[in-house]
Amino acid sequence: MKALLLMLLVIGLPMGHSYPVSQLCDLNSDNMVKSTRYHSTTIMGCMGKFSSQEVYVLNVHGGDGLWSLDISREKLQEEANEKPAVLIVNSNVPFSINDTSYPVILHVNSHIKLAVQHSLPQKWNMSQDVESVNSSEDLLRWAKDKYAEVTFFAELQGPNKIQLKMETGNTGAETCELQNQFRADSILKAEYPVDVMSCKIHISNPEAVRNIYIVHVAYSDPPTSGNSIDLSVTALDGQCGKAPLIFLKNEAGYMWNIHSDFDVGVVASDNHILNGMPVPGSKLPGERDELIMKAIGDYNGNFNSITYIHMNNAMSVTLPVFCVKKETVSPTVSLKDQCEEYFKDFSRLEPWRCTDKHLIITLDQEFIQTCGILDPNNVYFGNSKCSAKPQGDSLVLITHKDECGTEAAAGNLTNKLFIQGDTFNITETVFCQSPGIQIHISQGPDANTATNTLGTDQMIHVNLTIKGKNILLVDKCMLLVGEKEQKLKESTIETSDGSMIWTYDTNTLVLPEAASAGNLTCTFCLASESKEDCPETNLMQKSLAVTFNTRSTNQKRGLSMGSVLGITFGAFAIGALLTAVLWYIYTHTRSSVKMQPVPTLTGGSENSSTNHSIDSTQSTPCSTSSRA
């Protein structure tokens, strides 16, 4: 069996001067393996003599975040009765300082004051007075203006840690003059992150008991004496039952110092130390393809996978490894059989959900353990770029209907799920029916009286019929009229016959004067998510076009302010006119009464002068002469 596996692998990787391993081993960035390097070369720097006070200047920029400053000095210096040393730091990112037992005067720029004050040693005195500078020349000039001379200056880019040794010697130049690529071996050492590239080749060999790791470190600068590479090996899946095998390739002049809490097999290109014990080195080839073929040939295919890791100028490496636990696999049931058995119930389990735009699959811890999935990138849609993401104890895959090979037809989403184990590959077809949503509006709970006409003086019942599962209404139904969006006031919620009914009061509805139509839109969320915090991929919307009852609207609104004022003014005017007429009649009637003669009812004596006067002036139509 082993010979057959080796033969198949060698056929895929034919021997020769250049092997086509790159077809199976495509290097990519590796964020799991952590590596750092440290050196004393600065971007710009210098040293100068001092008279009575040391002045150290650090100009640090770039980096991904917090960096640390570790300061040390000889004991003789801290006991001397002299001025405290001065440290000037200009940094565009926050930093921390280790505790010290001797006083230091610290100058920082304003935006990092809060970042360092919590870690500031007790005997330190900090000032926030470093002016904004654009270059190391400006910063050095500022320091000399303040303290006359500078003991040490260093410009650094993106360090993780800086180790600064405050020396008692006074052997620098007469004045600190900046030099490019200045080496400060005796006073400063900085640690930097290293980019790590890796690839993994899977071998289908259920009888194998270990994984192989190849760590290849190259250097751009010649080594100095006593260089060592610290390697810390950690297990990603608990204590290893079977020891992984690690090939270590480095250049001459470096020694590996290896630390591990469990058994590991090591083949190194030079002498090395494993958990404090010296081990002689072995001869290893210098190129990637040859190193991989060396591992294949030495172990005759008796492994599950080979992981090749490459980095430059590394001095410290943390290597996480996966261990093969053969005892966890049943001797009668292979891992592939277990995983295929799990997927027989895949359709019944229905671990998928979908909207009209997104397909979501959640694979639980049972799937991860049954199929032995250790790397989320080994579960994906369409291609490896559409891989699963860890979410708690599960793996979640999310894709848009137009991405990752998803097919959308009649509101349904279909895709293929690929599962790549260490010893097998499985493909499953996923078919998800998107929920169908229908909206009806009625003036009562009975949906048979459906209408698309709204007024502002009625209660409306929004009847939502949903075909499908896992839907939850997000607490909003919005009415869009023109460019104005307003939320309907919800009064009660009822559930009836699998349909959902929301009752809304439209008395608070404010319509524009010319409004005649709009859209009622309700928003939904997949039920497994909280409606208070629903991700965009879980949202669905359904809209219904509505019209407005203008007559009902006008009745509700009643008379306008202009109409009310007009009626009031008319009533006032009519009342005033009636009052004037009555006053006119009254005044003129009274005047006529006063002017009318008043007849007397005394005795009718013909000798009366009054009667005589009246009689003498009266005549009848038939009379032609005066009375004698």
Side-chain angles (χ1 to χ4, degrees):
M1 179 65 180
K2 295 178 182 178
L4 176 61
L5 289 171
L6 179 60
M7 182 182 69
L8 293 175
L9 184 61
V10 172
I11 290 175
L13 306 174
M15 300 294 290
H17 177 69
S18 178
Y19 308 103
V21 175
S22 57
Q23 296 178 7
L24 298 175
C25 189
D26 186 14
L27 290 177
N28 294 285
S29 296
D30 193 322
N31 296 322
M32 297 183 68
V33 179
K34 303 298 181 183
S35 178
T36 59
R37 62 188 175 97
Y38 45 86
H39 59 75
S40 300
T41 302
T42 65
I43 297 175
M44 298 184 72
C46 62
M47 293 183 67
K49 292 184 177 180
F50 63 91
S51 56
S52 61
Q53 192 169 23
E54 302 164 77
V55 178
Y56 301 86
V57 184
L58 297 177
N59 189 18
V60 182
H61 47 85
D64 297 328
L66 181 75
W67 58 274
S68 62
L69 177 60
D70 188 354
I71 295 178
S72 63
R73 68 185 307 153
E74 296 178 3
K75 190 172 183 180
L76 179 63
Q77 179 85 9
E78 63 184 87
E79 292 177 349
N81 185 15
E82 59 180 10
K83 294 181 180 179
V86 175
L87 176 61
I88 300 172
V89 180
N90 179 59
S91 175
N92 65 341
V93 292
F95 68 96
S96 62
I97 305 173
N98 70 312
D99 196 7
T100 58
S101 59
Y102 39 84
V104 173
I105 299 173
L106 175 65
H107 297 271
V108 297
N109 43 3
S110 59
H111 69 277
I112 59 170
K113 178 182 178 182
L114 294 178
V116 299
Q117 68 178 5
H118 297 297
S119 62
L120 195 67
Q122 282 188 335
K123 295 184 179 181
W124 286 41
N125 182 14
M126 184 176 69
S127 299
Q128 180 191 345
D129 58 353
V130 176
E131 299 176 357
S132 298
V133 292
N134 298 320
S135 65
S136 289
E137 290 83 353
D138 294 338
L139 182 60
L140 180 60
R141 189 179 304 111
W142 184 89
K144 287 186 175 182
D145 290 344
K146 194 170 187 69
Y147 288 100
E149 190 50 71
V150 168
T151 308
F152 173 72
F153 186 101
E155 178 184 351
L156 304 173
Q157 171 74 39
N160 288 338
K161 179 188 290 185
I162 297 175
Q163 296 177 358
L164 178 64
K165 185 177 182 181
M166 293 184 172
E167 297 283 358
T168 58
N170 191 7
T171 58
E174 290 299 324
T175 184
C176 195
E177 297 289 345
L178 290 176
Q179 302 175 34
N180 292 326
Q181 300 297 306
F182 179 76
R183 290 182 66 93
D185 296 322
S186 62
I187 191 170
L188 178 140
K189 183 167 69 173
E191 180 184 288
Y192 300 88
V194 173
D195 292 331
V196 178
M197 306 294 288
S198 74
C199 63
K200 187 174 185 179
I201 300 175
H202 291 275
I203 310 297
S204 297
N205 184 9
E207 298 179 3
V209 295
R210 66 174 68 199
N211 294 321
I212 294 179
Y213 294 84
I214 301 173
V215 181
H216 188 181
V217 181
Y219 295 91
S220 57
D221 298 326
T224 58
S225 60
N227 282 330
S228 64
I229 308 171
D230 291 320
L231 175 65
S232 177
V233 185
T234 62
L236 286 173
D237 48 356
Q239 191 72 20
C240 279
K242 302 297 181 180
L245 180 64
I246 303 174
F247 284 80
L248 301 175
K249 172 60 182 176
N250 59 285
E251 298 177 5
Y254 293 87
M255 175 176 286
W256 290 91
N257 189 11
I258 307 164
H259 305 276
S260 177
D261 293 335
F262 51 92
D263 290 337
V264 292
V266 177
V267 178
S269 59
D270 209 333
N271 295 339
H272 54 280
I273 298 175
L274 177 58
N275 291 330
M277 297 294 294
V279 182
S282 303
K283 186 176 181 180
L284 293 177
E287 300 297 331
R288 175 185 63 176
D289 292 5
E290 287 87 347
L291 283 167
I292 293 176
M293 292 305 298
K294 168 74 172 173
I296 292 173
D298 285 359
Y299 285 85
N300 198 26
N302 188 18
F303 51 87
N304 278 298
S305 65
I306 295 178
T307 302
Y308 175 84
I309 302 163
H310 184 273
M311 61 198 78
N312 291 320
N313 302 314
M315 303 303 294
S316 176
V317 180
T318 299
L319 175 65
V321 299
F322 287 105
C323 300
V324 178
K325 298 183 178 180
K326 192 173 180 62
E327 63 274 12
T328 61
V329 181
S330 171
T332 58
V333 181
S334 68
L335 198 61
K336 181 179 181 180
D337 292 337
Q338 289 183 182
C339 196
E340 288 179 341
E341 187 68 25
Y342 173 88
F343 277 101
K344 285 183 179 179
D345 293 331
F346 193 62
S347 298
R348 179 183 60 81
L349 295 173
E350 293 188 359
W352 55 75
R353 298 167 282 143
C354 61
T355 65
D356 53 346
K357 295 181 179 179
H358 290 90
L359 174 62
I360 305 168
I361 294 183
T362 302
L363 299 170
D364 58 15
Q365 190 68 25
E366 180 184 357
F367 160 77
I368 297 173
Q369 294 176 353
T370 301
C371 296
I373 301 301
L374 300 177
D375 187 352
N377 293 321
N378 291 339
V379 182
Y380 52 88
F381 283 135
N383 58 69
S384 57
K385 294 182 179 179
C386 304
S387 59
K389 306 296 181 187
Q391 191 174 96
D393 294 333
S394 303
L395 296 178
V396 178
L397 299 96
I398 301 176
T399 180
H400 190 269
K401 66 176 183 178
D402 298 327
E403 299 174 351
C404 299
T406 307
E407 296 180 1
N412 300 319
L413 302 182
T414 305
N415 208 327
K416 289 187 180 298
L417 178 64
F418 295 88
I419 301 97
Q420 180 179 347
D422 281 347
T423 60
F424 63 89
N425 293 312
I426 293 178
T427 302
E428 291 290 332
T429 299
V430 178
F431 175 81
C432 184
Q433 182 179 8
S434 301
I437 303 173
Q438 293 181 339
I439 299 181
H440 300 284
I441 298 178
S442 60
Q443 296 182 1
D446 186 3
N448 294 326
T449 60
T451 178
N452 283 23
T453 302
L454 296 182
T456 57
D457 55 353
Q458 59 186 203
M459 297 289 288
I460 65 169
H461 297 259
V462 180
N463 188 294
L464 302 166
T465 303
I466 299 175
K467 295 181 180 180
K469 299 180 180 179
N470 300 324
I471 287 295
L472 176 71
L473 179 72
V474 175
D475 189 18
K476 68 174 181 180
C477 277
M478 308 298 289
L479 185 65
L480 181 64
V481 183
E483 296 182 354
K484 185 178 181 66
E485 187 179 72
Q486 44 193 310
K487 184 177 180 180
L488 299 177
K489 182 180 179 182
E490 179 182 325
S491 57
T492 60
I493 297 179
E494 302 175 5
T495 303
S496 172
D497 299 331
S499 299
M500 290 178 280
I501 301 176
W502 279 263
T503 303
Y504 292 100
D505 181 3
T506 62
N507 287 326
T508 59
L509 203 59
V510 179
L511 300 178
E513 291 290 340
S516 61
N519 277 292
L520 177 67
T521 300
C522 294
T523 306
F524 304 85
C525 180
L526 292 179
S528 62
E529 304 293 340
S530 169
K531 68 179 182 179
E532 285 78 15
D533 186 21
C534 189
E536 182 179 355
T537 54
N538 291 55
L539 289 177
M540 284 189 67
Q541 286 189 334
K542 184 68 175 179
S543 296
L544 178 68
V546 296
T547 58
F548 303 112
N549 188 336
T550 306
R551 179 185 58 80
S552 174
T553 300
N554 290 339
Q555 288 178 355
K556 166 141 174 68
R557 289 176 180 165
L559 297 175
S560 65
M561 180 60 72
S563 299
V564 173
L565 292 176
I567 293 173
T568 303
F569 179 80
F572 173 79
I574 292 172
L577 287 173
L578 288 174
T579 303
V581 169
L582 291 174
W583 177 255
Y584 179 84
I585 294 173
Y586 170 77
T587 55
H588 283 71
T589 302
R590 181 181 179 190
S591 176
S592 301
V593 171
K594 287 184 178 182
M595 295 173 63
Q596 182 70 29
V598 180
T600 60
L601 299 177
T602 57
S605 174
E606 293 185 356
N607 293 328
S608 170
S609 61
T610 304
N611 288 339
H612 177 74
S613 299
I614 295 175
D615 290 342
S616 63
T617 61
Q618 291 179 340
S619 63
T620 65
C622 298
S623 175
T624 58
S625 61
S626 301
R627 184 178 178 180

